[in-house]
Amino acid sequence: MEYPFVDLYYESYGQGFPVIFIHGFSLSHVIWEPVIPYLKADARLILPDLRGHGNSPAPEGPYSMRMMAEDVMALMDKLQLEKAIWVGHSMGGYISQAMARHHPERLAGLAFVATRPLADSPEKLKARSKTINQIREQGVRVVAEDMSERLTYKSDWKVTNFNIINHTPQSGMIGSLQGMASRPDSSELVRNLSLPWVLVAGQEDRFAPLEIAREMAAPLDASHYFEVPKVGHMPMMEAPEVVAQAIRVLLADVESEN
Ligand code: MLT
């Protein structure tokens, strides 16, 4: 382990092969709740809050993607799990990529949800520092207002998402933005993954563009790529049955490998 880890808050449902759900930037384990009824009979679902998010401690950043991955690995150690499937949403996908880079032996499979393999572009880096300044000047509400408007295709989840984001500590948001800005490109890593993986992408995603998802999915066959119409950046809320189906495909792959 490269970094001192943070003891993460988590929730756990069901029994069976462990599946760990890693939420995106400024969100929390709550986003995965709609998926639980579809899967809890099939697997052991573990839902942590990342450092700086939800009910977990929020030390000062920066939080590298590797650091956040190793917090989750420490949770696996605590629960005595040798291997698990990781499901990574957006920033959670970047964290899962860091895990695949540094500790692939602890992964049985990966489900990427509304994420990308690319490092930040120069425009994205500029936008990140602007957001950091805005948070320092105006607090986290500015992010909650902006993101909750754009996360989903329909507005059904807007209030829930606003409340989750608005609850995220300032140190958690800034630490994550700094960490995302310094993450390496993982395109090559994803192209060459030797473990089973799936990708779920919303056709109306305003954070993880569809063209990038399609390119990322190039090594996958049709049964491992789930592109969902009328869904934005939050497929686990907007189409939980599709996310559950993707994970079931992965569970079957893992079972057939063992
Ligand atoms: C997320 O939802 O985790 C973010 O949109 C990721 C990012 O800002 O790159």
Side-chain angles (χ1 to χ4, degrees):
M1 192 102 57
E2 172 100 346
Y3 299 102
F5 63 85
V6 162
D7 193 17
L8 301 179
Y9 173 86
Y10 72 98
E11 294 188 5
S12 176
Y13 301 87
Q15 274 172 9
F17 196 83
V19 183
I20 305 184
F21 292 80
I22 302 170
H23 61 77
F25 167 69
S26 79
L27 297 164
S28 79
H29 74 278
V30 172
I31 64 166
W32 300 108
E33 282 174 359
V35 178
I36 297 170
Y38 292 97
L39 276 180
K40 68 169 187 239
D42 302 314
R44 177 173 178 192
L45 315 178
I46 299 162
L47 282 57
D49 283 338
L50 294 168
R51 67 165 65 200
H53 294 77
N55 299 323
S56 285
E60 288 303 316
Y63 304 165
S64 71
M65 299 300 102
R66 178 174 183 175
M67 189 185 270
M68 291 205 268
E70 291 188 348
D71 289 340
V72 179
M73 189 167 83
L75 175 62
M76 286 178 70
D77 292 343
K78 181 160 111 176
L79 300 175
Q80 299 182 326
L81 305 175
E82 199 189 318
K83 276 186 186 244
I85 287 175
W86 282 34
V87 183
H89 169 239
S90 202
M91 181 180 77
Y94 313 155
I95 294 168
S96 306
Q97 289 157 22
M99 189 65 183
R101 176 174 286 110
H102 297 289
H103 306 286
E105 71 288 351
R106 305 294 300 272
L107 294 172
L110 284 170
F112 293 117
V113 179
T115 191
R116 67 177 104 202
L118 306 176
D120 281 354
S121 63
E123 298 73 46
K124 188 79 190 175
L125 288 173
K126 245 188 241 161
R128 299 245 192 252
S129 24
K130 189 172 156 208
T131 308
I132 291 172
N133 289 336
Q134 280 178 323
I135 298 168
R136 288 205 174 110
E137 283 159 20
Q138 302 167 51
V140 301
R141 194 183 173 92
V142 66
V143 175
E145 274 166 6
D146 174 57
M147 271 182 72
S148 59
E149 280 294 336
R150 298 185 295 128
L151 278 175
T152 52
Y153 177 63
K154 291 200 212 133
S155 58
D156 312 19
W157 292 95
K158 203 169 103 181
V159 176
T160 309
N161 286 328
F162 175 87
N163 289 331
I164 298 172
I165 301 169
N166 203 38
H167 178 77
T168 305
Q170 188 158 324
S171 56
M173 274 197 190
I174 294 176
S176 304
L177 287 164
Q178 291 167 328
M180 286 193 284
S182 65
R183 76 188 191 282
D185 192 282
S186 296
S187 308
E188 193 67 24
L189 176 116
V190 170
R191 238 191 323 271
N192 296 316
L193 278 174
S194 57
L195 75 185
W197 64 284
V198 295
L199 173 62
V200 182
Q203 283 187 343
E204 307 295 336
D205 193 330
R206 284 186 272 180
F207 292 80
L210 190 58
E211 318 83 75
I212 296 176
R214 287 183 176 165
E215 214 177 300
M216 183 176 178
L220 296 174
D221 64 29
S223 66
H224 288 72
Y225 177 50
F226 298 78
E227 194 179 292
V228 209
K230 297 193 178 150
V231 162
H233 193 52
M234 304 298 286
M236 73 300 282
M237 291 172 153
E238 303 175 87
E241 68 291 355
V242 179
V243 173
Q245 176 55 19
I247 293 167
R248 245 183 249 116
V249 166
L250 202 48
L251 281 163
D253 286 348
V254 170
E255 200 169 300
S256 71
E257 285 207 337
N258 290 318

